[in-house]
Amino acid sequence: MPAPESPTGRPRLRVRRWWRRHVLAHRRGLAACCVAVAALATLRTVAPLPPPVVETWVAARDLPAGTALTASDVELAAYAVGTVPDGVVAAPAGRRLASPLRRGEPVTDARVLGPDLLEGYPGRTAVPVRVPDATVVDLVRVGDTVDLVSADPSTGRAATVARDAPVVALPPDPEGVSGQVASGRVVVVALAPDDVDDVTVAAVQQFLTVVWSR
């Protein structure tokens, strides 16, 4: 003769039976949920992690040569590790461009003037000037001492605007800020303070060329 069921065991038995009926009634939905959770766990396991990136300062808009960079001129852009150009400038604000910079182009040491350009030229100012005749610039080498001559196309007259100016940099200039190939090349020269204004005005209003004299 079986032992009588205890009163405390009856509620537990009813609960187990209730759970069993409900699990069996919803077994298809529960199985689908289990499959979905397993699939999600598998995807999270095999999905590759996003590649690491490096934030690099780039031009926020097209900038002409000679621009003294401010915080509004540059912005951070993400580059995949291994694709960052060489010589990127970590703190471009306050640096001056030696050549034009296109929007989105990284700010590298080849595009800005640095204090090292004037090493050995105390009291001088590094000034980028565009020489329209690129073939003339091909003859120039860093360290050359040149005179800058401006020509006025309206009068046909020429005048020397700077003498004995050392060439301190020849930055690459593959493309102008307008999206088209710019004429000429940029030459960075170390000018005496008295020559800076004359050369700057001549570079904007007239044509400049370099000559060698002794």
Side-chain angles (χ1 to χ4, degrees):
M1 180 177 179
E5 186 176 356
S6 64
T8 58
R10 292 176 182 176
R12 296 178 181 176
L13 180 61
R14 286 196 294 270
V15 170
R16 287 197 296 268
R17 288 174 178 174
W18 182 88
W19 274 109
R20 185 171 181 273
R21 287 196 302 271
H22 279 73
V23 168
L24 291 176
H26 299 86
R27 60 183 181 274
R28 292 184 179 179
L30 292 172
C33 290
C34 292
V35 171
V37 171
L40 179 61
T42 302
L43 289 175
R44 292 178 61 89
T45 301
V46 301
L49 295 175
V53 297
V54 177
E55 289 191 327
T56 302
W57 290 106
V58 301
R61 56 182 176 276
D62 291 345
L63 299 169
T67 300
L69 296 176
T70 64
S72 63
D73 293 325
V74 294
E75 61 188 8
L76 286 171
Y79 277 73
V81 173
T83 65
V84 179
D86 294 334
V88 292
V89 177
R95 305 291 293 272
R96 188 176 295 275
L97 291 180
S99 60
L101 203 63
R102 294 297 306 277
R103 182 174 64 87
E105 183 178 352
V107 183
T108 64
D109 54 5
R111 295 294 193 185
V112 297
L113 302 177
D116 55 318
L117 291 178
L118 295 176
E119 185 176 355
Y121 304 106
R124 292 196 171 232
T125 302
V127 178
V129 296
R130 179 171 293 280
V131 177
D133 191 345
T135 58
V136 171
V137 182
D138 290 338
L139 303 175
V140 178
R141 298 293 180 266
V142 173
D144 287 354
T145 300
V146 299
D147 296 342
L148 295 179
V149 177
S150 67
D152 188 340
S154 62
T155 63
R157 295 180 179 178
T160 300
V161 291
R163 295 186 183 275
D164 300 327
V167 177
V168 295
L170 294 169
D173 189 21
E175 193 172 11
V177 296
S178 64
Q180 298 178 351
V181 176
S183 61
R185 285 278 306 280
V186 171
V187 179
V188 184
V189 290
L191 296 179
D194 293 341
D195 294 333
V196 173
D197 290 345
D198 291 340
V199 171
T200 303
V201 172
V204 175
Q205 298 180 351
Q206 302 174 2
F207 292 98
L208 281 178
T209 189
V210 297
V211 298
W212 294 260
S213 62
R214 287 296 182 187

